């Protein structure tokens, strides 16, 4: 942030000169399962007391959250305007937020209720969310938004280069069965020269702000089942509501929370793809997991499609597609007697979605049909970690893009990405594992390897002398800025030190040589306690959040 005064949330912690990077590594290892309590947690260790966390001395000695204007170096600029938030006031705001969430459908299935992931309306609980939006520099916000259409175009062009995809993933194929099966389907499509003339992408590019360099760095690019367009939009509305009621008291302006149209934009992309398919008898099919507690995020899009676009929606598992699906003589995909215009995958991105050959037959059947796939098998492969790493290599972007300005913008946001056959980088990762993350070819939370486990895994792979290292990439570990947050889960609030990850949604639709849509389409902010490595909301690591521009 610059020198202009901006609202800032802080806790009653003392100031030291220890670096933010060190605090990110050393803070206590509370997880959400134990940390979300209404009672305040034990005080953080002294190693966590650092400059952004200012103590404001008050006559009353009580637990409080303080919001005060600060300048770029973290100094409070107007102490006279600082406010004391006692437990009672904070509880009032939290209760108000919980009522709003319940009334507006900001909900998920409750894991403690057995049928909550299979029967709609059973066992509902509010989705985890941050009570207040997270500060984010407007310049980096605009940078992330501007990158969206460039990444869309890059995904589309890479998807058309079947040779590049097959060669880049050839070593991974040898050691990763899931990637191998995806590549086999892709190979079959190449063999029959299957053309996807209408191509739809609903993507999300995830970023963090690196504290040391102040750079916006990309974590990953999601091309399949980019979730939380629905619930993420609702959290933005929730935060605007909270600030409209309590903004003057908090010193926060609801107008600095940017609008979030992710749900309507994703629905618009699906609807326009349906229109391009040009069969009014056809429906949109959402491919779902048999058990899905995040179903309401999906139903949000379905409701917009029905209410605004009058398009029928069906939900099918991969196993149901295998049982009920067929390809008609004209290439049309028919499932349970219904013609399918668009297949929207909210499943199929992880090996557990393919427990038998039935699911793989369904994936191949859909790929062979004339239905628009979101994503197609080639778009899916472009989103793998290995392709992300390959695109970061010198000279590779030039293979797909001509605009030098666009190439420079993409490279500016690339974090360090390396193959494990790079001996020098592997050696550095063994010596200083805290500076790296090992990533397998998997989507969803809970898969990455951090800390000493990086060293142990690399040494194990070296000792084994196998080719299994091809199943991983190494990525520069990003140490993001810390902030104070009030996190809500299971009806309880918890104050903690947190880090955030910004996801920018984007929509891309192309029909042959005509680009129908290429837009930045809203955003997703996810916030987690700073001691947590993983960041998935549905996996239980993070909460939904929104952006407060500074």
């Amino acid at each position: 942030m610059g020198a202009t005064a901006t609202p800032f949330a802080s806790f009653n912690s003392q100031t030291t000169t220890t670096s933010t990077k060190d605090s990110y590594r050393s803070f206590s290892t509370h997880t959400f399962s134990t940390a979300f309590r209404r009672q305040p947690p034990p005080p953080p260790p002294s190693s966590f007391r650092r400059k952004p966390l200012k103590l404001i001395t008050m006559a009353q000695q009580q637990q409080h959250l303080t919001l005060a204007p600060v300048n770029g170096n973290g100094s409070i600029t107007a102490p006279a305007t600082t406010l004391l938030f006692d437990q009672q006031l904070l509880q009032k705001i939290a209760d108000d937020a919980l009522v709003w969430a319940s009334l507006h459908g900001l909900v998920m299935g409750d894991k403690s209720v057995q049928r909550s992931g299979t029967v709609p309306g059973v066992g509902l609980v509010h989705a985890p969310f941050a009570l207040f939006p997270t500060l984010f520099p407007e310049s980096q916000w605009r940078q992330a938004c501007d990158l969206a259409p460039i990444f869309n175009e890059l995904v589309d062009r890479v998807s058309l280069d079947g040779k590049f995809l097959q060669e880049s993933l050839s070593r991974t194929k040898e050691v990763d069965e899931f990637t191998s099966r995806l590549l086999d389907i892709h190979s079959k499509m190449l063999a029959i020269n299957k053309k996807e003339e209408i191509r739809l992408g609903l993507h999300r590019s995830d970023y963090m702000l690196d504290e040391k360099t102040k750079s916006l760095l990309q974590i990953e690019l999601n091309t399949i089942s980019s979730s939380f367009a629905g619930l993420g939009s609702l959290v933005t509305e929730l935060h605007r509501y909270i600030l409209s009621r309590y903004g003057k008291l908090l010193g926060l302006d609801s107008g600095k929370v940017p609008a979030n149209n992710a749900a309507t934009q994703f629905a618009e992309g699906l609807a326009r793809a349906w229109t391009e398919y040009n069969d009014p008898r056809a429906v949109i099919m959402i491919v779902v997991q048999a058990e899905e507690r995040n179903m309401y995020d999906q139903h949000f899009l379905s409701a917009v499609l029905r209410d605004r676009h009058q398009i029928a929606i069906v939900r099918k598992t991969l196993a149901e597609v295998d049982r009920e699906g067929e390809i008609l003589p004209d290439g049309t995909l028919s499932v349970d007697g219904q013609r399918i215009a668009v297949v929207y995958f909210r499943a199929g991105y992880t090996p557990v979605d393919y427990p038998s050959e039935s699911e793989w037959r369904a994936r191949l059947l859909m790929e062979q049909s004339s239905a628009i796939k979101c994503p197609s098998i080639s778009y899916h492969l472009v989103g793998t970690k290995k392709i992300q790493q390959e695109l970061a290599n010198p000279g590779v972007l030039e293979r797909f893009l001509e605009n030098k300005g666009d190439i420079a913008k993409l490279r500016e946001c690339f974090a360090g990405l390396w193959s494990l056959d790079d001996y020098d980088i592997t050696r550095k990762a063994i010596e200083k594992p805290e500076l790296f993350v090992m990533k397998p070819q998997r989507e969803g939370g809970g898969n990455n390897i951090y800390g000493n486990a990086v060293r142990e895994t690399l040494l194990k792979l070296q000792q084994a002398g196998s080719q299994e290292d091809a199943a991983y990439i190494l990525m520069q570990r990003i140490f993001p800025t810390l902030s104070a947050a009030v996190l809500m889960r299971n009806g309880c609030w918890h104050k903690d030190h947190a880090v955030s990850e910004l996801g920018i949604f984007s929509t891309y639709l192309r029909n042959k040589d005509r680009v129908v849509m290429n837009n930045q389409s809203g955003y997703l902010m996810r916030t987690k306690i700073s001691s947590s490595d993983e960041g998935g909301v549905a996996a239980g690591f993070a909460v939904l959040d929104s952006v407060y521009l500074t």
Side-chain angles (χ1 to χ4, degrees):
M1 293 181 289
T4 304
T6 55
F8 183 77
S10 66
F11 294 120
N12 52 340
S13 302
Q14 296 287 349
T15 302
T16 73
T17 57
T18 308
S19 72
T20 303
K21 179 185 291 187
D22 288 340
S23 73
Y24 181 75
R25 291 199 294 268
S26 63
F27 190 50
S28 64
T29 57
H30 287 303
T31 62
F32 276 131
S33 61
T34 59
F36 277 88
R37 302 186 297 262
R38 187 159 294 176
Q39 297 79 16
S46 58
S47 62
F48 191 71
R49 298 171 185 163
R50 43 206 88 279
K51 63 183 180 181
L53 308 178
K54 289 286 184 179
L55 172 66
I56 299 177
T57 304
M58 307 292 289
Q60 301 100 320
Q61 295 298 315
Q62 54 184 305
Q63 292 292 325
H64 65 273
L65 171 72
T66 306
L67 291 108
V70 301
N71 61 19
N73 62 16
S75 301
I76 296 172
T77 59
T81 64
T82 61
L83 299 168
L84 183 67
F85 288 84
D86 61 22
Q87 304 286 81
Q88 186 175 4
L89 175 58
L90 199 53
Q91 189 61 52
K92 175 179 171 55
I93 298 174
D95 288 344
D96 198 3
L98 290 170
V99 171
W100 191 100
S102 301
L103 293 177
H104 291 80
L106 182 54
V107 296
M108 303 177 71
D110 187 344
K111 290 182 179 181
S112 66
V113 179
Q114 185 175 1
R115 297 192 300 155
S116 66
T118 55
V119 182
V122 172
L124 300 183
V125 65
H126 73 87
F129 61 88
L131 189 57
F132 304 107
T134 294
L135 302 182
F136 201 88
E138 186 171 0
S139 59
Q140 278 90 347
W141 158 260
R142 295 192 181 280
Q143 178 189 357
C145 292
D146 291 344
L147 286 168
I150 307 174
F151 271 117
N152 280 345
E153 190 66 37
L154 178 64
V155 169
D156 188 65
R157 295 193 182 190
V158 175
S159 76
L160 299 177
D161 194 333
K163 182 179 179 182
F164 173 80
L165 291 173
Q166 288 285 330
E167 289 181 350
S168 298
L169 291 165
S170 59
R171 288 191 66 232
T172 306
K173 179 178 182 177
E174 296 176 4
V175 296
D176 189 297
E177 177 64 21
F178 179 63
T179 304
S180 178
R181 295 299 297 266
L182 295 176
L183 283 168
D184 286 344
I185 294 174
H186 183 249
S187 294
K188 288 182 172 68
M189 298 305 101
L190 293 177
I192 63 175
N193 197 28
K194 180 72 167 59
K195 300 294 185 182
E196 298 294 331
E197 294 182 339
I198 305 176
R199 302 188 292 277
L200 173 65
L202 300 180
H203 303 146
R204 194 187 72 231
S205 185
D206 295 334
Y207 305 91
M208 278 186 169
L209 279 176
D210 183 61
E211 170 65 18
K212 183 177 181 179
T213 64
K214 308 302 180 185
S215 298
L216 182 80
L217 298 179
Q218 187 185 54
I219 305 296
E220 63 181 351
L221 178 62
N222 300 275
T223 60
I224 183 170
S225 189
S226 301
S227 60
F228 290 116
L231 297 190
S233 300
L234 286 177
V235 171
T236 301
E237 292 183 28
L238 168 62
H239 283 161
R240 286 183 155 191
Y241 164 76
I242 291 173
L243 298 191
S244 70
R245 289 205 62 187
Y246 302 99
K248 290 183 179 180
L249 184 63
L250 300 172
L252 298 173
D253 178 7
S254 62
K256 292 190 176 182
V257 179
N260 190 355
N261 58 356
T264 55
Q265 283 287 295
F266 266 23
E268 176 74 13
L270 290 163
R272 294 184 72 173
W274 179 87
T275 300
E276 293 293 323
Y277 190 79
N278 197 28
D279 183 351
R281 300 167 295 174
V283 303
I284 293 176
M285 180 174 70
I286 305 180
V287 179
V288 299
Q289 294 172 330
E291 185 174 327
E292 175 60 87
R293 291 183 172 84
N294 192 29
M295 69 173 77
Y296 305 100
D297 180 60
Q298 303 165 6
H299 284 301
F300 196 105
L301 298 186
S302 298
V304 176
L305 284 166
R306 284 191 297 265
D307 297 343
R308 292 195 178 189
H309 303 283
Q310 291 75 53
I311 299 173
I313 311 296
V314 297
R315 293 169 61 87
K316 297 289 181 181
T317 65
L318 287 167
E320 288 172 332
V321 172
D322 181 48
R323 289 196 304 269
E324 304 169 6
E326 61 175 333
I327 296 179
L328 303 180
D330 64 354
T332 300
L333 175 65
S334 174
V335 178
D336 194 25
Q338 293 183 295
R339 302 167 71 91
I340 308 299
V342 181
V343 178
Y344 174 37
F345 285 97
R346 291 298 294 263
Y349 55 87
T350 174
V352 299
D353 288 342
Y354 300 86
S356 71
E357 286 302 310
S358 173
E359 289 76 16
W360 286 112
R361 286 195 301 267
R363 185 68 187 269
L364 177 60
L365 180 77
M366 290 182 285
E367 207 64 36
Q368 291 171 325
S369 76
S370 64
I372 301 168
K373 276 75 67 177
C374 180
S376 66
I377 191 68
S378 56
Y379 268 40
H380 185 172
L381 291 172
V382 175
T384 59
K385 305 296 189 297
K386 181 61 180 176
I387 295 300
Q388 180 186 6
Q389 180 256 309
E390 287 290 330
L391 291 172
N393 285 334
V396 177
L397 286 179
E398 286 80 357
R399 178 170 175 169
F400 302 104
L401 300 174
E402 300 83 24
N403 188 299
K404 293 182 179 180
D406 288 347
I407 292 171
K409 289 177 182 178
L410 294 182
R411 286 223 169 90
E412 186 179 354
C413 78
F414 283 171
L417 293 158
W418 304 276
S419 168
L420 265 63
D421 59 11
D422 186 326
Y423 173 78
D424 289 337
I425 290 295
T426 302
R427 177 176 52 81
K428 291 178 182 178
I430 292 173
E431 293 173 354
K432 297 184 177 181
E434 70 277 7
L435 300 181
F436 296 86
V437 180
M438 280 186 72
K439 292 190 171 186
Q441 303 298 327
R442 294 290 178 271
E443 300 297 329
N447 298 305
N448 296 334
I449 302 171
Y450 299 86
N452 286 331
V454 172
R455 175 191 292 120
E456 294 168 2
T457 305
L458 289 173
L459 291 173
K460 183 178 179 180
L461 290 172
Q462 288 183 355
Q463 292 168 1
S466 67
Q467 298 298 313
E468 290 186 15
D469 60 348
Y472 300 89
I473 67 165
L474 277 171
M475 181 175 178
Q476 164 196 351
R477 184 160 186 176
I478 301 169
F479 296 95
T481 303
L482 292 171
S483 63
V486 180
L487 311 174
M488 301 288 303
R489 187 181 288 273
N490 294 325
C492 300
W493 57 263
H494 169 68
K495 296 184 292 187
D496 217 318
H497 300 85
V499 295
S500 298
E501 183 174 317
L502 174 66
I504 298 294
F505 292 111
S506 60
T507 306
Y508 188 86
L509 177 62
R510 189 183 191 102
N511 190 342
K512 298 179 182 177
D513 294 331
R514 178 169 56 93
V515 176
V516 182
M517 296 180 73
N518 185 11
N519 304 325
Q520 181 266 337
S521 304
Y523 67 95
L524 170 70
M525 196 72 157
R526 285 171 295 178
T527 293
K528 61 185 180 180
I529 57 175
S530 57
S531 57
S532 173
D533 289 324
E534 295 291 352
V537 175
F541 301 106
V543 302
L544 299 171
D545 201 348
S546 65
V547 168
Y548 189 97
L549 296 179
T550 63

